[in-house]
Amino acid sequence: MRVAVAKYTIGAPRSFAEFADKQAKWLSEARASGADVAVLPEYLALELGATFGAATQGDLHASLVAIQAYRQAWLDLFGLLARELRLHVIAGSFLLDLGHGRYRNRSDAFAPGGGRLWQDKLQLTGFEKQAGVIEPGDALKTFEIGAQRAGIAVCYDIEFPLPVRAQCEAGARLLLAPSCTDTDAGATRVRVGCLARALENRSFVAQAVTAGEALWSPALDTNTGEAAIYAPMDVGLPADGILAQTRSGQRWAYADLDFAALEASRARAQVANDRDWVGQGAPAIARARVEKWEG
């Protein structure tokens, strides 16, 4: 399976048609390079805020209201591209109004055969909490991509071990992480989260990122980080855990994932965090005790 992760440059489309043309060009490029799966970044739909006037562009709440008009066109677009390109597409995320002005940060996934599913972001960042209208998801999912099982962890979610562990215990060996960070510290947190989840679960992690500046948007203003595909740091796998990573102006990073080799690595592993996970729950170490100095 060849996976592509985008370092997606945020622009300012003047219409949905212009946005759609950009998606077609990006995804066609990934498919032409042999990708079976393409991951786009978190908050992708907020780029559509640029199609409205300056007052809407500069107001997060107004942007969230406005982009709802594109929801069906969004689903139609990525469904069509997935079918035409014979590509599994993780379409970043769309801040979806579920009623009463409350939004979920929803990552839609599209299959070449026409299937669609989604994963809502479960943990909210400070920015999302401060917005006052975004709520966390309430369901954790896994799904099939060909012969492999995968799960989506939207940005901040990849920094939390237990939900990702639950996805891996349900069979996921590929974690898809659409992300958007505006500081170097934020980019580091997500990168470290990806590396940690790959280590703990003996799984691949594919992270897409936003890039560039969009000063017209309060959510997409500044973007940092590199798109990357990670693996456990063990025998037969990269010592630094990085299978592929974008550099400078590179738009996509690609990696051919060998799940049979991943599974076989268990037998000769230097460490087995995935199998030794349960040891953390041993009664003697489940809670730390306060020790007093002797003497």
Side-chain angles (χ1 to χ4, degrees):
M1 178 190 297
R2 173 161 261 220
V3 174
V5 289
K7 181 180 179 180
Y8 181 89
T9 307
I10 299 296
R14 292 163 294 182
S15 66
F16 187 86
E18 186 173 317
F19 173 84
D21 184 60
K22 180 178 179 180
Q23 306 315 306
K25 289 177 179 176
W26 274 72
L27 291 173
S28 294
E29 179 181 329
R31 187 66 179 122
S33 294
D36 304 295
V37 182
V39 187
L40 293 166
E42 183 188 29
Y43 288 164
L44 177 64
L46 288 179
E47 188 179 46
L48 287 165
T51 66
F52 301 96
T56 298
Q57 292 177 14
D59 184 314
L60 177 62
H61 291 193
S63 293
L64 294 180
V65 172
I67 66 171
Q68 303 309 308
Y70 294 132
R71 177 59 179 170
Q72 190 57 53
W74 168 278
L75 296 176
D76 292 344
L77 169 65
F78 286 107
L80 177 64
L81 290 173
R83 293 192 303 274
E84 288 188 342
L85 296 172
R86 305 301 299 168
L87 181 68
H88 285 86
V89 178
I90 312 304
S93 73
F94 190 109
L95 274 293
L96 180 64
D97 186 353
L98 297 183
H100 309 291
R102 303 294 296 178
Y103 299 84
R104 293 264 181 102
N105 191 353
R106 177 162 294 182
S107 183
D108 297 297
F110 301 84
R116 175 172 66 87
L117 50 82
W118 48 265
Q119 173 68 59
D120 288 338
K121 189 173 186 177
L122 303 174
Q123 298 286 344
L124 302 185
T125 63
F127 172 81
E128 289 166 328
K129 291 175 182 176
Q130 290 164 14
V133 296
I134 302 172
E135 63 179 42
D138 56 8
L140 182 66
K141 304 175 181 182
T142 63
F143 53 94
E144 308 298 329
I145 296 181
Q148 305 302 326
R149 187 162 294 174
I152 298 172
V154 181
C155 199
Y156 194 31
D157 285 348
I158 202 68
E159 298 177 37
F160 290 85
L162 296 183
V164 172
R165 179 68 185 184
Q167 289 173 311
C168 292
E169 289 179 344
R173 293 295 177 267
L174 172 59
L175 303 168
L176 306 158
S179 73
C180 174
T181 57
D182 62 355
T183 66
D184 289 337
T188 298
R189 288 192 295 267
V190 178
R191 177 174 57 83
V192 169
C194 289
L195 285 164
R197 304 298 82 80
L199 169 66
E200 293 162 354
N201 299 296
R202 195 170 302 277
S203 63
F204 296 120
V205 182
Q207 180 200 1
V209 302
T210 48
E213 289 190 339
L215 300 182
W216 53 267
S217 169
L220 297 174
D221 48 359
T222 303
N223 300 277
T224 60
E226 299 290 345
I229 301 168
Y230 305 93
M233 312 91 207
D234 215 319
V235 176
L237 296 163
D240 62 0
I242 301 174
L243 285 167
Q245 180 175 291
T246 55
R247 304 284 182 188
S248 187
Q250 187 179 355
R251 288 153 53 111
W252 292 97
Y254 302 93
D256 295 304
L257 305 185
D258 187 337
F259 291 92
L262 181 73
E263 195 64 26
S265 72
R266 293 172 183 270
R268 60 183 189 278
Q270 293 173 318
V271 296
N273 303 65
D274 52 330
R275 287 179 292 165
D276 294 336
W277 180 269
V278 295
Q280 301 174 91
I285 62 171
R287 291 183 180 276
R289 67 187 185 192
V290 178
E291 193 81 355
K292 294 187 180 298
W293 294 99
E294 297 181 3

